[in-house]
Amino acid sequence: MSAAEAVQDGRLVIEVPATSANVGVGFDCLGLALDLMARFSFEPAKHLLIDGCLEKFRGADNLVWTSYLEACRRLYKKPRQLHITIESPIPLSGGLGSSSTCVVAGVYAAWLLEEDGSSSGKVNQISSRDRQQLLDIACDIEGHPDNVAPAILGGLVSSFVDRGRTHPVHLNVADNVRFVGIAPPYEVRTEEARKVMPKKVSLDTTIWQVGHCVAAVHALEQGDLELFSSASLDKLHEPYRSRLIPDYEALRRTCLAAGAAAFLISGSGSTMLAVCDGDYMAQQVEEAVNGMVENHIDGLWVRVLRASEVGAQVLAE
């Protein structure tokens, strides 16, 4: 079924992947799309109605809605009232791009919906130039590209922003690479995670990060997890942010002992990723984390994930 056929009876459905920012040594520039998808439905309505999410997110300050309004303003389009339904399996504890999926969904809705709430007919026609405009708007709303770029483009994306324009480099992750997502039942706020980082870093640390970042990207492309194990060792943010996650050290030890090649903080946390070679090893790590006795964590979310080569897309029902 074509993308145009996905919009029926005035209903637009957009799916956006979860993302993991930084990927260890790529602070604020690397991001990875994962095969955990959030779905957003938009229908014309007489007044704003938001459902499918927690009650506290159903007001006019909802990020999908505010992103839609801001994108309409930037696209010189008149917004209209909508019924928005959010279906997201992404943990709200932070670190897997739950906010970025909302931003991207709102921006796409502004692009695809006409003022009467019907499809604009553009669902088949998002060119690379259009996608660039949507990326620039989403990046401006979010504040940095590390999550929104892979949410739109899929895969592993290295990005930088120059004079208001986001420059993404899209890369594919090797088929053997798996990620065990681990989200504890508490949040690490991004503002707090940024406060604990040093304001200045040494030349030695800068050289370390650049060399390791290039090697880490190559390792993920090639599926060389022995190289990634060394290349992903971060000195810029993880040594400081790990202190904000009470269970970080116990989980890191458990995952590495079970065979994970690397253990990363996803975004600013509290979600973490164990990077594994293949399904069998990922399942071993998942079972080890779920089976923790001495350092058992109630309410822990654990899921084996793959990189998603698919970014935001319009779906058929």
Side-chain angles (χ1 to χ4, degrees):
M1 183 176 287
S2 71
E5 293 174 308
V7 182
Q8 297 178 352
D9 300 324
R11 190 163 185 254
L12 173 68
V13 182
I14 300 170
E15 195 173 68
V16 187
T19 53
S20 180
N22 303 326
V23 199
V25 290
F27 179 70
D28 272 9
C29 63
L30 278 185
L32 172 73
L34 298 164
D35 64 345
L36 183 66
M37 302 291 179
R39 182 174 292 192
F40 303 85
S41 301
F42 300 85
E43 298 177 86
K46 292 182 179 179
H47 56 82
L48 175 64
L49 175 63
I50 301 171
D51 56 29
C53 56
L54 295 176
E55 185 68 35
K56 65 180 180 178
F57 299 126
R58 297 184 184 183
D61 60 347
N62 178 277
L63 189 55
V64 180
W65 174 245
T66 57
S67 299
Y68 165 75
L69 294 178
E70 177 61 17
C72 283
R73 186 186 71 81
R74 292 169 183 258
L75 294 168
Y76 303 102
K77 298 179 69 172
K78 183 180 179 180
R80 64 150 299 143
Q81 298 299 309
L82 294 171
H83 176 191
I84 303 171
T85 301
I86 301 171
E87 302 171 73
S88 178
I90 302 172
L92 296 177
S93 51
L96 285 179
S98 59
S99 64
S100 294
T101 63
C102 293
V103 170
V104 170
V107 171
Y108 265 59
W111 177 262
L112 294 169
L113 292 175
E114 296 290 6
E115 293 175 11
D116 63 357
S118 65
S119 165
S120 65
K122 296 179 181 177
V123 290
N124 276 333
Q125 306 168 16
I126 301 180
S127 66
S128 58
R129 182 176 180 180
D130 297 333
R131 192 170 280 108
Q132 178 67 52
Q133 184 178 13
L134 298 179
L135 175 58
D136 288 337
I137 293 172
C139 182
D140 212 27
I141 293 172
E142 178 78 352
H144 39 81
D146 51 3
N147 276 310
V148 295
I152 290 175
L153 301 173
L156 177 67
V157 183
S158 178
S159 308
F160 67 91
V161 179
D162 181 29
R163 289 171 286 187
R165 181 179 175 87
T166 304
H167 297 266
V169 178
H170 178 270
L171 307 153
N172 293 320
V173 176
D175 289 340
N176 63 300
V177 182
R178 298 291 182 271
F179 305 90
V180 181
I182 306 167
Y186 49 80
E187 182 182 5
V188 172
R189 297 186 64 83
T190 302
E191 309 88 73
E192 295 302 314
R194 286 188 177 272
K195 285 180 183 178
V196 299
M197 291 178 57
K199 303 300 180 185
K200 296 181 180 180
V201 296
S202 68
L203 179 61
D204 286 344
T205 298
T206 303
I207 295 169
W208 171 283
Q209 290 292 131
V210 172
H212 281 66
C213 188
V214 173
V217 169
H218 176 75
L220 289 175
E221 280 192 289
Q222 299 300 314
D224 185 347
L225 293 187
E226 182 178 354
L227 174 60
F228 188 75
S229 179
S230 297
S232 63
L233 296 176
D234 172 79
K235 287 188 176 182
L236 188 59
H237 66 107
E238 289 199 345
Y240 309 96
R241 290 176 162 181
S242 61
R243 301 168 190 168
L244 300 177
I245 306 173
D247 300 293
Y248 171 86
E249 191 55 39
L251 288 166
R252 186 188 72 84
R253 288 198 306 268
T254 298
C255 290
L256 295 179
F263 188 78
L264 316 172
I265 297 174
S266 185
S268 59
S270 60
T271 301
M272 293 151 278
L273 292 181
V275 187
C276 303
D277 192 350
D279 289 320
Y280 176 77
M281 189 58 68
Q283 290 164 6
Q284 291 290 103
V285 171
E286 180 187 29
E287 290 173 7
V289 171
N290 282 325
M292 290 171 64
V293 176
E294 181 180 353
N295 296 293
H296 176 75
I297 306 164
D298 289 329
L300 193 66
W301 181 95
V302 187
R303 186 81 62 88
V304 176
L305 302 167
R306 301 181 64 159
S308 173
E309 296 307 320
V310 178
Q313 58 181 339
V314 177
L315 288 188
E317 282 293 273

